[in-house]
Amino acid sequence: MDILRFITAGNVDDGKSTLIGRLLYDTKQIFADQLEAIESSGRVNEDGQVDLSLLTDGLKAEREQGITIDVAYKYFSTEKRKFIIADAPGHIQYTRNMVTGASNSNLSIILVDARKGVQEQTRRHSIISSLLGIPHLVICINKMDLVGYDEQVYNQIVEDYKQFARKLQAKDVTFIPVSALKGDNIVEGSELTMPWYQGPSLLEHLEQVPVSQDFNLDDSRFPVQYVIRPLTAEHQDYRGYAGKVISGTYKAGDKVTVQPSGQMTTVKFVELGGKELEEAFAPMSVVLQLEDEVDISRGDVIVKAADGLEAAQEFEAEICWMHNKALKPGAKLLLRHNSTETRCVVRHIEYKIDINTLDHLEDVDQVQLNDICRVQIKTASPLLLDKYADNRSNGGFILVDETSFATVGAGMVAEIEY
Amino acid sequence: MTKRYLDYLDQLEAEAIHIMREVAGQFEKPALLFSGGKDSITLVRLAEKAFRPGKFPFPLVHIDTGHNFPEAIRYRDELAERLGEKLIVRHVEDTILRKNLSEPKGRYASRNALQTHTLLETIEEFGFDACIGGARRDEEKARAKERIFSVRDEFGQWDPKRQRPELWNTFNGRISKGENVRVFPISNWTELDVWNYIKREEIALPNIYYTHERECLVRDGKLMAWSDFIYQEPDDEVVTRQVRFRTVGDMTCTAAVESIAHDIDGVIAEILESKISERGATRIDDKLSETAMEDRKKGGYF
């Protein structure tokens, strides 16, 4: 059994909450007391059924306004997988919340209303999913019951979407006709209502989509989080480097380089909780012991000698701005990348990305809340970065305000200058 | 080539260890809040995995309401002893006396809410800048939106509208003076995940997690452990039942469930069949209003 993390973005109107409610309900993840709490609220949908969307809207303000504001995490599991749902809002003014939810997801469910077809919101959610490097997209054409389960309608929407998706870097796109309200193709199939559809139901698809290869196992990256030095009689000379293999693999005998100093040594021992491991691979948290006594501290990265990683201070990135106060060129911020923090300056705004069309808007003099822009950044100390497209776990960073310490932006490395 | 496949429990464990090490790396005076319940016992095992053969970079801290199960207290003391780690205990009783707080009265009387006072005092006393806790997002709808690094102001308040976006596995632990961070390494675990992990790791739990005979008070359809601390009305019925606890907290607000599970497999089987959520089955305090948890968290509660 493994884990699939997926995001659903959308508004109440799309039936997103109904879809999640349906997944939880039909996989029997909703407990009687939770259902009772919904029933006692008295909200039912037009069919007189319990309003499943109430399961997902957690905060008082959200229930009052009937919208999702923040990302909510939901969990369910089947025999095959544990699922973690990042339930994100769909409106453009909550783009930052969707970006947040998308950052950790392997799959994105995008809802299309069968009556309306591909809309601005469909495009926006697809573009954000693509920018955040989500490897798998599922396009659920919802409310099929309201178009008479018509195959022609479905096919037309699939065609329209494919047309648009050419400009995305989506590797794996799947289409499923569903009715979240009626439960068609969510957990069960749709033999009665849509015999023309031969593919899997949404849950079947979620259970079988391959995710193990989504981890980058080629480029070894081990950012040191903490140095273990017990200094006890029993462990007099013990030095263990604690961290997470964010990509690649490590085993005893591997020749490694410690960056940014460039010192070379060999992995002596790989362990976790005192037990030796034959090999550590992403995303394991382990301890590495090295053959030589080298000077290593938090923020250094241990890399296999064959997998080069060079330090850089200047790079270009796509950033999503997450704060009310606009970002202007010349702004100084803190930048956190894995276990490293440094100061940085945003030197230039190259262009803004229209997230409804992917068009580039030039001559932008500031970055507003929810904007996604390409910028040039220079850091005070060197960073050990990968391009986000090459290595998702080593190409993302966050921007932090120097005085309030709020997280004000998220960035994805696009081009690095060595 | 060997197939590189990480089981879901290993993935959850790796994530939790990473979070704990970020706490060790980013904060000067962290603490692990330990209650003697299964979730904080799980945190202790994760801390062993994260930091052994070194010592924990934080003490274990218990806020004792004085109404805890004696079995849980004994377990707590033995665990700290066996691990050789520092245990700090602060008592709600002392806060009540010192601050002249009024003890809650009546049918739903519980010191659970007063814990917040003692917790905030303890944070101040030791200058803790990060407190690791065992809350999970599957427990309650307000918790479903809480961050893994949850920043609290100097009153311990949680402001759901001011939460920091949390992306990838990058955690922003930067705070201003007076603020502190609550950290939840098992945010993404469910009740069942915790039990499966306890099983896999062969972790011994306080025996009240397994079936035993106990005198209980029947209240609002729930079984409350009979003790000197519980408020009894003349017509309250006291019964003897085979029960276990699904959540172990303050005796006055955590209820027992009828059970015949005498080992972990039995408990897991019962959870799989259960129709009621963990908090729904066992918590009296959540039922008091629709947003009881959200309101308590805003006031500095865990």
Side-chain angles (χ1 to χ4, degrees):
Chain A
M1 195 164 139
D2 59 2
I3 300 181
L4 173 68
R5 294 169 196 256
F6 67 90
I7 180 169
T8 52
N11 310 324
V12 173
D13 302 346
D14 310 325
K16 174 203 63 165
S17 298
T18 311
L19 179 116
I20 296 173
R22 174 62 66 187
L23 271 176
L24 298 176
Y25 189 78
D26 286 0
T27 55
K28 307 194 172 45
Q29 307 287 324
I30 295 174
F31 290 112
D33 57 317
Q34 293 166 335
L35 203 58
E36 205 178 282
I38 296 170
E39 277 164 351
S40 69
S41 74
R43 258 175 63 179
V44 290
N45 60 34
E46 60 260 40
D47 286 10
Q49 290 168 314
V50 172
D51 186 351
L52 294 172
S53 69
L54 287 176
L55 283 166
T56 57
D57 294 327
L59 299 172
K60 208 185 274 181
E62 293 176 326
R63 283 195 302 279
E64 280 162 10
Q65 296 172 49
I67 53 164
T68 315
I69 299 170
D70 206 337
V71 184
Y73 293 91
K74 297 274 156 200
Y75 305 85
F76 72 102
S77 47
T78 65
E79 305 253 302
K80 300 207 174 85
R81 262 187 185 152
K82 174 184 168 87
F83 298 95
I84 301 179
I85 313 175
D87 177 16
H91 286 289
I92 193 157
Q93 68 264 39
Y94 300 116
T95 295
R96 62 172 180 160
N97 306 72
M98 181 175 170
V99 167
T100 301
S103 72
N104 280 321
S105 297
N106 300 65
L107 181 145
S108 178
I109 295 182
I110 292 165
L111 282 161
V112 180
D113 188 326
R115 296 168 304 175
K116 297 177 186 159
V118 175
Q119 302 272 296
E120 181 176 289
Q121 168 159 299
T122 320
R123 290 191 285 269
R124 185 169 69 247
H125 294 168
S126 304
I127 287 168
I128 294 173
S129 299
S130 163
L131 281 170
L132 270 289
I134 296 180
H136 312 280
L137 296 187
V138 182
I139 316 304
C140 282
I141 293 141
N142 191 24
K143 305 195 183 182
M144 287 300 294
D145 53 313
L146 299 182
V147 295
Y149 296 109
D150 187 342
E151 186 181 5
Q152 297 314 106
V153 173
Y154 170 77
N155 285 341
Q156 186 58 51
I157 294 172
V158 170
E159 273 321 301
D160 291 350
Y161 188 89
K162 282 182 174 165
Q163 193 74 20
F164 148 76
R166 281 188 197 142
K167 50 184 165 182
L168 298 179
Q169 269 134 31
K171 294 170 208 133
D172 170 30
V173 185
T174 303
F175 299 90
I176 306 177
V178 305
S179 164
L181 189 68
K182 308 283 185 188
D184 297 301
N185 280 333
I186 303 296
V187 170
E188 305 296 328
S190 60
E191 294 77 10
L192 293 177
T193 51
M194 291 177 275
W196 46 265
Y197 174 73
Q198 307 297 324
S201 72
L202 176 61
L203 183 68
E204 282 167 353
H205 180 68
L206 295 177
E207 282 184 327
Q208 70 197 28
V209 62
V211 287
S212 55
Q213 63 262 47
D214 293 345
F215 294 106
N216 175 332
L217 294 175
D218 298 325
D219 307 304
S220 58
R221 307 284 184 253
F222 185 82
V224 174
Q225 290 182 272
Y226 186 77
V227 182
I228 298 174
R229 288 221 62 190
L231 297 168
T232 53
E234 195 190 341
H235 297 284
Q236 196 58 255
D237 299 316
Y238 182 98
R239 268 171 210 258
Y241 300 102
K244 186 171 176 174
V245 181
I246 60 169
S247 59
T249 63
Y250 293 82
K251 59 181 188 302
D254 281 343
K255 301 264 174 259
V256 292
T257 313
V258 180
Q259 295 291 16
S261 69
Q263 302 165 91
M264 311 258 288
T265 179
T266 305
V267 176
K268 185 165 80 182
F269 200 72
V270 183
E271 64 178 319
L272 175 64
K275 271 194 211 124
E276 181 173 6
L277 298 171
E278 199 180 311
E279 185 189 55
F281 55 90
M284 291 166 80
S285 284
V286 295
V287 176
L288 299 184
Q289 292 183 54
L290 304 175
E291 288 290 354
D292 306 287
E293 246 183 57
V294 280
D295 182 24
I296 300 180
S297 51
R298 177 177 160 83
D300 290 350
V301 183
I302 299 172
V303 184
K304 281 202 268 199
D307 304 342
L309 175 66
E310 273 179 73
Q313 284 182 262
E314 287 180 60
F315 58 93
E316 282 188 25
E318 268 126 26
I319 61 162
C320 173
W321 191 244
M322 301 183 155
H323 203 259
N324 290 320
K325 209 173 83 188
L327 168 76
K328 293 184 181 135
K332 292 198 172 75
L333 297 156
L334 294 169
L335 185 153
R336 184 176 284 275
H337 169 248
N338 289 323
S339 299
T340 314
E341 190 183 80
T342 178
R343 295 183 73 205
C344 77
V345 57
V346 177
R347 299 170 79 185
H348 183 65
I349 303 165
E350 303 264 300
Y351 53 80
K352 179 180 157 178
I353 298 170
D354 182 327
I355 53 169
N356 294 324
T357 61
L358 262 186
D359 292 342
H360 295 177
L361 311 170
E362 318 274 337
D363 300 320
V364 178
D365 57 358
Q366 53 179 340
V367 189
Q368 307 282 358
L369 174 67
N370 292 316
D371 282 353
I372 296 182
C373 290
R374 173 85 162 228
V375 299
Q376 287 177 9
I377 291 178
K378 182 175 186 188
T379 59
S381 27
L383 291 176
L384 295 150
L385 303 161
D386 281 301
K387 285 187 202 171
Y388 191 79
D390 296 340
N391 192 346
R392 211 177 160 197
S393 50
N394 199 42
F397 60 88
I398 60 169
L399 296 168
V400 174
D401 187 89
E402 281 192 304
T403 51
S404 72
F405 302 129
T407 301
V408 292
M412 291 151 284
V413 177
E415 289 294 335
I416 309 171
E417 252 181 68
Y418 295 104
Chain B
M1 198 188 79
T2 46
K3 194 168 185 297
R4 296 187 182 96
Y5 168 85
L6 208 51
D7 182 65
Y8 83 106
L9 282 178
D10 289 312
Q11 288 192 43
L12 291 174
E13 179 189 67
E15 178 182 85
I17 291 171
H18 176 256
I19 293 162
M20 286 215 178
R21 288 168 171 170
E22 277 307 290
V23 173
Q26 291 195 36
F27 296 93
E28 280 167 24
K29 284 220 79 179
L32 189 152
L33 296 183
F34 184 80
S35 69
K38 65 178 190 317
D39 298 316
S40 57
I41 291 169
T42 299
L43 288 182
V44 169
R45 171 56 53 91
L46 291 165
E48 288 184 75
K49 296 227 180 180
F51 303 111
R52 290 289 185 253
K55 286 193 87 75
F56 294 177
F58 38 69
L60 309 179
V61 173
H62 183 220
I63 305 301
D64 188 346
T65 61
H67 295 170
N68 284 293
F69 292 94
E71 293 89 341
I73 299 296
R74 212 175 314 128
Y75 182 96
R76 175 197 77 190
D77 294 342
E78 283 169 11
L79 182 72
E81 173 77 31
R82 183 170 60 73
L83 294 171
E85 297 291 345
K86 189 175 177 190
L87 171 69
I88 294 169
V89 180
R90 286 294 176 270
H91 300 275
V92 172
E93 187 81 39
D94 296 338
T95 315
I96 294 174
L97 293 175
R98 196 168 43 249
K99 292 206 160 166
N100 201 15
L101 298 174
S102 29
E103 185 95 50
K105 293 197 177 54
R107 198 169 159 76
Y108 296 102
S110 169
R111 287 180 170 175
N112 191 46
L114 291 181
Q115 270 187 94
T116 304
H117 289 269
T118 314
L119 173 62
L120 296 179
E121 276 188 357
T122 310
I123 288 172
E124 222 167 280
E125 178 187 349
F126 293 93
F128 292 134
D129 48 7
C131 295
I132 300 169
R136 308 187 319 263
R137 285 174 180 153
D138 79 320
E139 286 181 79
E140 212 278 339
K141 56 197 169 200
R143 285 207 161 140
K145 308 220 162 174
E146 179 135 25
R147 304 297 186 258
I148 290 172
F149 272 37
S150 177
V151 181
R152 305 299 179 90
D153 67 12
E154 51 194 312
F155 304 101
Q157 294 182 105
W158 180 61
D159 181 352
K161 292 196 181 119
R162 252 195 63 211
Q163 297 203 89
R164 294 175 177 174
E166 216 161 56
L167 295 106
W168 301 291
N169 295 303
T170 311
F171 299 102
N172 175 6
R174 280 281 193 155
I175 45 172
S176 304
K177 206 152 178 51
E179 290 179 333
N180 66 81
V181 178
R182 307 280 168 89
V183 180
F184 305 113
I186 58 168
S187 284
N188 286 326
W189 300 39
T190 63
E191 182 188 18
L192 196 57
D193 297 336
V194 171
W195 279 106
N196 280 324
Y197 188 73
I198 287 169
K199 179 182 170 185
R200 189 188 84 169
E201 296 289 310
E202 300 177 342
I203 301 172
L205 291 181
N207 52 18
I208 52 178
Y209 275 109
Y210 303 109
T211 187
H212 57 285
E213 199 168 87
R214 185 179 283 271
E215 283 197 314
C216 298
L217 207 67
V218 185
R219 174 160 299 165
D220 300 346
K222 291 194 171 67
L223 295 167
M224 304 300 295
W226 164 248
S227 72
D228 294 342
F229 315 124
I230 198 148
Y231 177 85
Q232 193 182 3
E233 282 174 357
D235 56 340
D236 271 341
E237 189 192 353
V238 178
V239 296
T240 304
R241 293 282 163 81
Q242 282 293 121
V243 297
R244 67 176 168 88
F245 289 89
R246 225 168 135 179
T247 304
V248 169
D250 189 278
M251 291 177 85
T252 58
C253 69
T254 43
V257 292
E258 286 202 68
S259 167
I260 51 161
H262 53 82
D263 58 11
I264 295 183
D265 287 324
V267 172
I268 290 173
E270 286 186 1
I271 293 171
L272 284 171
E273 276 177 29
S274 173
K275 298 279 187 288
I276 314 272
S277 74
E278 179 180 343
R279 292 196 79 92
T282 62
R283 302 298 294 218
I284 302 296
D285 44 348
D286 284 354
K287 285 268 176 177
L288 297 180
S289 85
E290 165 78 356
T291 54
M293 173 67 92
E294 187 177 338
D295 297 340
R296 282 206 308 276
K297 286 175 87 69
K298 285 180 184 163
Y301 184 73
F302 222 78

